[in-house]
Amino acid sequence: MSQFYDAIVIGGGVNGGSVAYQLAKRGKKVLVLEKDRIASKASGAAAGMIAAQAELQDDDPLFQLARKSRKRFASLAEELKDLSGVDIELINKGMYKVALTDQEVHEYKQIIDIQKRAGEHAEWVTGDEVRKQEANVSDDILGAMYIEHDGHVSAPQLSQAFIKSAAVLGVTIQEFVEVQSILFEGEQVVGVATNEGEYKAENIIVTAGAWSSSFLRQTELDLPVYPVKGECFSVRTHQPLLKSTIFSHGCYLVPKKGGRIIVGATVKPHTYNQQVSVEGVAGLLEKAKHLLPSIGEAEWDQTWAGIRPQTADGLPYLGEHPTYNGLFVATGHFRNGILLSPITGEIMADLIERKEPAIDVHPFRLDRLTATNV
Amino acid sequence: MSQFYDAIVIGGGVNGGSVAYQLAKRGKKVLVLEKDRIASKASGAAAGMIAAQAELQDDDPLFQLARKSRKRFASLAEELKDLSGVDIELINKGMYKVALTDQEVHEYKQIIDIQKRAGEHAEWVTGDEVRKQEANVSDDILGAMYIEHDGHVSAPQLSQAFIKSAAVLGVTIQEFVEVQSILFEGEQVVGVATNEGEYKAENIIVTAGAWSSSFLRQTELDLPVYPVKGECFSVRTHQPLLKSTIFSHGCYLVPKKGGRIIVGATVKPHTYNQQVSVEGVAGLLEKAKHLLPSIGEAEWDQTWAGIRPQTADGLPYLGEHPTYNGLFVATGHFRNGILLSPITGEIMADLIERKEPAIDVHPFRLDRLTATNV
Amino acid sequence: MSQFYDAIVIGGGVNGGSVAYQLAKRGKKVLVLEKDRIASKASGAAAGMIAAQAELQDDDPLFQLARKSRKRFASLAEELKDLSGVDIELINKGMYKVALTDQEVHEYKQIIDIQKRAGEHAEWVTGDEVRKQEANVSDDILGAMYIEHDGHVSAPQLSQAFIKSAAVLGVTIQEFVEVQSILFEGEQVVGVATNEGEYKAENIIVTAGAWSSSFLRQTELDLPVYPVKGECFSVRTHQPLLKSTIFSHGCYLVPKKGGRIIVGATVKPHTYNQQVSVEGVAGLLEKAKHLLPSIGEAEWDQTWAGIRPQTADGLPYLGEHPTYNGLFVATGHFRNGILLSPITGEIMADLIERKEPAIDVHPFRLDRLTATNV
Amino acid sequence: MSQFYDAIVIGGGVNGGSVAYQLAKRGKKVLVLEKDRIASKASGAAAGMIAAQAELQDDDPLFQLARKSRKRFASLAEELKDLSGVDIELINKGMYKVALTDQEVHEYKQIIDIQKRAGEHAEWVTGDEVRKQEANVSDDILGAMYIEHDGHVSAPQLSQAFIKSAAVLGVTIQEFVEVQSILFEGEQVVGVATNEGEYKAENIIVTAGAWSSSFLRQTELDLPVYPVKGECFSVRTHQPLLKSTIFSHGCYLVPKKGGRIIVGATVKPHTYNQQVSVEGVAGLLEKAKHLLPSIGEAEWDQTWAGIRPQTADGLPYLGEHPTYNGLFVATGHFRNGILLSPITGEIMADLIERKEPAIDVHPFRLDRLTATNV
């Protein structure tokens, strides 16, 4: 027996939740299918940085996407809290991208110029100025790019907030359901077959992170998305050691509510293994102690890992299938999945409604790396 | 080697945290000593109801205290979020105190009259009106006292928010430190001896819940405070089953963020045992299924218990020791520890500063049940 | 880049572990691929009963299989402990299959006759005799079939013991690897394609429980295996409430080490959802209180669920693919996965080695329900 | 209302459990009072080494005590398994006390001589011989003292096994009960006052680890016992990295069942704080990587800390109070609490029964450091 929906979202992570939420706001009847639990993969593991400027360096399409998405968080936080009661723990206390070598000093100053030209705030601060604001950081910090508008949220809470708000708006959430294949009539999507039966819809959105490309194999579209493991740990103190996020080469320190700091993240491509390695912990620990010596006195909290989806050219995929109507994909956000989730939901809802998105999504189309004529 | 403080708070629960926070706001140097972890006892276990009107029935001193305290939550939520980043999850969607028997109908209508005369909002709604607002509740509900201004917070989050905000304001938090005795010079408090050494202060505030009276034994004051175990469980759904709190004889259902419902609580006096009994779960489960039949379809979440401090006359103790200067006690809040925590912090800070509290605290003085002349 | 193995086991549950272990003992180079963590599904959730006689009633092929498997546990426990250090917690204190109605009395007496004729020990004991041995059970128990040789192990520990012993013998264990397809050359298995690359082997054994049939879809063999959810909870006491297992219609009580009792299990077919429902807990709790009234005083421990593989005719599948050489399947053990795991490992190893198994496996062949000529 | 017992044990750790178990075997009616949960402090945190020879160096009374206690484990493991079902996970695969400096080489060779003269097996093995047995250890190991008869158990399981076996033999176990004072009539113990009422007994045994001396304060006996925090972490692999225990200056690696390794332990005196510090983890991690480079590939498991009781002269206290009849103390076992628990139970039971213990306990008497004439 089948049930009919306007849209079926495959994957209950932060982007699946955002898509479902935006569609529900527009009155659509939506089903979210998640093979495990909501936000059980990368979305539940992310440190939650909204690092549009710290992570991205060139004034390119991804940077534009990130800037636009970052702007959404303040109002989104209120909306989602009202609907679901979930606080996404938005903290907007700026970010220091710190330089430990002369080369990084040089490089970051150039990035500041690029970003200023692009209309964003960014400024160079000396090591002493950093330490004036953040008394506990290392004397080895030579200076930093200070980014006033980068911040962070709780990734698990944001993911839950999207899903729970979507549910309040009528979206059906099914956990532990695996999609086995997408169903077509000719070149039109008509539903999905799952291990618990079939569901009908004329729009399917694949938001399954590093697992996304497997759903497209039957369509002969080989989407070059691959997994990149990231390991993290966290610590706790009563008196906060940091106010702003400290971002450096190979290690970031994100000061969460109540004196918790998340230290992340390793970058281990081509594995789906979610175990935290001893070597991963040891490497992060060494870097964290270098950046913030007093972290040694903090309480050890926990470790975890997530599997992030990366693409061959580093850009996400946001678009409709080149051949099949109604088959949409949003994946490949790599380390920017949390940051990009608000705009991803909007773009995908626009595409499904056949509206022009607020941003040019041509650079993110699905056939950009495989098609011969574009 | 001793360290000097303006005040030492014994007990890192919600009321200890509130006292420390209020003192810190007034510029005091404060130390909180907790024998286990912060909020590891009743404060971490409470369902978090702010039930000034549902729990209390007469226009008496406790009711006045509760009303005043309830008013503090809206601004407190903002303050604590700003300082610590912790959201106390304040939800103000009203409470239905539901009647399942004709006698309860009669009784609750009388309480409404009392509370209206006391200047509070309360109204009678029929069973059908309840079900119109809350579609999932039982057909056996004959009607309810609807209390617009009762709500709830997250008890663990509120406790953390107080402590972490206090820490941000400079309060020192020491976990795993047991106070062995209070130190006096004549009739003046001068500090405490702990299992990790002595700390000096001219003000000591005992906020150790059901464990409070042991600290007073050396002062020959026998405070009749005793433990009452309360067991709870919680369930989860994606689509919320409830919007408002449902309060009934022997069982309440508190709808938390994201579709979680806390079901509480048993009342088992004279034990410090924090284990959840099978019988306790079974009894609550039966009552919850009666009130909200569709709870059967929810996901089982978890069980826990807390040990609440009750007093011989049902009123909390908020005051200074009748003999010893600088020795203060705030305990005996029973099921209202979360509700009363804001005002408790203010009152105790006033008393320590030798200011007149905003409310008459004579009914809560320490020697009310033992003194011969008052 | 491929790696070569003698055999690849798909699924790291108790039967996958047993197969890998038996193959390793015979000197084979084996790889176990598990999509999640070892024993994360049914094998980690089972109550661990070795209920050859309590679960099975007729002297049929499954009963023969179960009897043979049960005999293996004593020596297996020693072997696995020696190799891996893991104690499988084998307890052989008998089982009471209790009758609560006259019809059950009649029925169980008949089963005793059948089992005696089959050469097994089983005897009828009166309600009072049961209560003489087990003082805490209900007065409503009219009598019981007493089965001396049924017992139980720890299902999670047995699963770990197989896998860890296999690892000690050289088997490679890969977690978080999903098999995407089985690779063939003509009608010969040559390996598997996974989300982390290809692995080569001439023998593939599918031991993926309720997820097994999906791996066969590409071979056009439609194996009628479906999931059946079972929910459980456990309780604890210091003084044990039970010595023997109590087995009744719809509820069993399994006394584990150290005073823990597992209460199981619901039977909910056709879902892969691993959530524990409130209704499931409530139903088991009511039955458990009826069988063992003093369970009310025990401490509540935890709840969980597992997804067990059932087949259309109730018999497991143990055999080679009717068309493809080297493709083996062992699944469909339903509630007997733990009990049947020792013999399953032996049979599959025999089949792979082209040896005659110690038991006639014709009733368990893969094409028995689909083939036209057998 | 009081209840009468032959003996009351204060403290439900491994030594309290052992005393209760030995008394129960001798037919005594025993009550164990534990303020938290069974084995919630040092006993649940220990790595479980039975390192009579690796930890102790001189042929002194403590060494004699340790040797005798070590011999008990084999038969004890069987007894406790039979009674409680709990496997204590005794592993007797020897221990390498490894030398990383020439000075350690010299020192350990001398210890070998001492221990051989004392009748124990111990031998020097070269670095290459160590690596022949343990292929993964560091090339920096110059050699090792190999101790055939040292091994390890699971400390949490041993603690549970004692308590649960005691319960099976009729001992009453009460958790969450705090003893407030010991009751005397003249110089005879008559019971205890607790936060849940009084219990009567003519023998009280204090086995409260680092918390023991507080119970004696009322007797004017100042027992110099102080807390020493030890932090640990553990890792996991499928293929075991080690067979034997590796013991070095400041770090030991204990290979547990199923490929788990416990890495311990820091030594931080004079704190009861059970938090694990980032610095503690970092220090152990560095040492562990030095000893066993391939630990980097293992999976990170968990961290924890325990508070061990040390004494001023390094010897445990095992004896009766010098003034009060019936008041016994067994504490101060420091890092040897697990190792010494079997003999501790026997000695204390002998003392209570007024029998001569199998070993001279004069060196462990309570007044050895305070009395003027002994």
Side-chain angles (χ1 to χ4, degrees), chain D residues 86-360:
Chain D
V86 179
D87 176 46
I88 67 169
E89 300 173 20
L90 175 62
I91 294 183
N92 267 326
K93 298 206 172 145
M95 192 173 297
Y96 291 97
K97 184 168 184 172
V98 299
L100 295 164
T101 65
D102 289 336
Q103 194 192 319
E104 285 174 344
V105 170
H106 180 71
E107 189 189 327
Y108 296 174
K109 285 183 173 174
Q110 284 183 317
I111 296 171
I112 290 173
D113 287 343
I114 294 168
Q115 297 194 344
K116 278 183 168 168
R117 278 196 300 272
E120 290 297 340
H121 173 273
E123 64 179 300
W124 180 255
V125 291
T126 65
D128 285 345
E129 285 166 336
V130 176
R131 283 179 289 276
K132 200 170 159 193
Q133 295 302 319
E134 297 289 351
N136 296 308
V137 300
S138 169
D139 289 343
D140 292 348
I141 291 175
L142 301 176
M145 171 179 166
Y146 177 64
I147 307 156
E148 192 183 349
H149 296 118
D150 275 357
H152 55 92
V153 296
S154 162
Q157 292 301 94
L158 176 62
S159 306
Q160 290 294 335
F162 274 132
I163 286 289
K164 298 297 185 174
S165 297
V168 167
L169 297 178
V171 172
T172 302
I173 314 294
Q174 298 261 38
E175 292 171 289
F176 297 106
V177 174
E178 288 181 53
V179 171
Q180 293 167 332
S181 61
I182 297 171
L183 304 175
F184 300 99
E185 284 180 7
E187 296 188 343
Q188 172 59 47
V189 159
V190 295
V192 294
T194 78
N195 59 0
E196 296 201 1
E198 290 186 11
Y199 298 92
K200 298 291 186 196
E202 297 208 336
N203 296 289
I204 305 292
I205 309 96
V206 177
T207 54
W211 289 263
S212 296
S213 48
S214 69
F215 297 103
L216 302 173
R217 214 168 297 136
Q218 67 181 118
T219 72
E220 314 272 304
L221 179 67
D222 182 20
L223 222 56
V225 176
Y226 62 93
V228 183
K229 171 152 86 168
E231 298 157 306
C232 295
F233 70 87
S234 61
V235 308
R236 291 179 185 279
T237 58
H238 289 301
Q239 318 275 357
L241 297 178
L242 284 180
K243 291 186 292 287
S244 305
T245 304
I246 303 296
F247 190 100
S248 82
H249 190 73
C251 181
Y252 47 73
L253 305 168
V254 189
K256 297 289 175 179
K257 70 172 186 184
R260 186 170 175 243
I261 295 176
I262 294 182
V263 179
T266 58
V267 176
K268 298 184 174 174
H270 302 298
T271 179
Y272 288 91
N273 189 314
Q274 291 179 246
Q275 296 172 351
V276 174
S277 70
V278 171
E279 197 53 73
V281 170
L284 287 173
L285 194 43
E286 195 178 344
K287 291 192 185 93
K289 282 173 63 185
H290 186 200
L291 288 172
L292 186 71
S294 55
I295 202 171
E297 299 150 30
E299 183 181 6
W300 189 263
D301 187 37
Q302 56 181 147
T303 64
W304 67 95
I307 304 298
R308 301 159 299 189
Q310 178 59 303
T311 63
D313 64 356
L315 295 182
Y317 286 107
L318 303 170
E320 191 170 8
H321 195 281
T323 313
Y324 294 96
N325 290 325
L327 178 53
F328 298 87
V329 177
T331 188
H333 298 76
F334 191 37
R335 289 160 59 122
N336 301 304
I338 300 303
L339 166 62
L340 298 175
S341 61
I343 198 80
T344 296
E346 290 178 28
I347 287 171
M348 300 315 293
D350 285 339
L351 293 177
I352 288 161
E353 290 199 302
R354 308 297 171 189
K355 288 181 184 166
E356 186 75 19
I359 197 165
D360 173 22

Side-chain angles (χ1 to χ4, degrees), chain C residues 37-38 81-87 89-91 93 157 160 163-164 166-175 236-240 256-259 299, chain D residues 37-38 81-87 89-91 93 157 160 163-164 166-175 236-240 256-259 299:
Chain C
R37 290 189 172 266
I38 290 301
K81 181 89 196 266
D82 281 349
L83 279 165
S84 68
V86 179
D87 176 46
E89 299 173 20
L90 174 63
I91 295 183
K93 297 206 171 145
Q157 292 300 94
Q160 290 295 337
I163 286 290
K164 298 297 184 173
V168 168
L169 297 178
V171 171
T172 302
I173 313 293
Q174 298 261 35
E175 292 171 287
R236 292 181 184 277
T237 57
H238 289 301
Q239 318 275 357
K256 295 290 174 179
K257 69 171 186 184
E299 182 180 5
Chain D
R37 289 189 172 265
I38 290 302
K81 181 89 196 265
D82 281 350
L83 279 165
S84 68
V86 179
D87 176 46
E89 300 173 20
L90 175 62
I91 294 183
K93 298 206 172 145
Q157 292 301 94
Q160 290 294 335
I163 286 289
K164 298 297 185 174
V168 167
L169 297 178
V171 172
T172 302
I173 314 294
Q174 298 261 38
E175 292 171 289
R236 291 179 185 279
T237 58
H238 289 301
Q239 318 275 357
K256 297 289 175 179
K257 70 172 186 184
E299 183 181 6

Side-chain angles (χ1 to χ4, degrees), chain C residues 130-200:
Chain C
V130 177
R131 283 180 290 276
K132 201 170 156 193
Q133 295 302 317
E134 296 289 348
N136 296 307
V137 301
S138 168
D139 289 344
D140 292 348
I141 291 175
L142 302 176
M145 172 179 163
Y146 177 65
I147 307 157
E148 191 183 350
H149 297 118
D150 275 359
H152 55 92
V153 296
S154 162
Q157 292 300 94
L158 177 61
S159 307
Q160 290 295 337
F162 273 132
I163 286 290
K164 298 297 184 173
S165 297
V168 168
L169 297 178
V171 171
T172 302
I173 313 293
Q174 298 261 35
E175 292 171 287
F176 297 106
V177 174
E178 288 181 52
V179 171
Q180 292 168 333
S181 62
I182 296 172
L183 305 175
F184 300 99
E185 283 180 8
E187 295 189 342
Q188 172 60 46
V189 159
V190 295
V192 295
T194 78
N195 59 1
E196 296 199 2
E198 290 187 10
Y199 298 93
K200 297 293 185 193

Side-chain angles (χ1 to χ4, degrees), chain B residues 3-17:
Chain B
Q3 298 176 48
F4 290 83
Y5 293 92
D6 293 324
I8 295 174
V9 176
I10 303 177
V14 71
N15 281 295

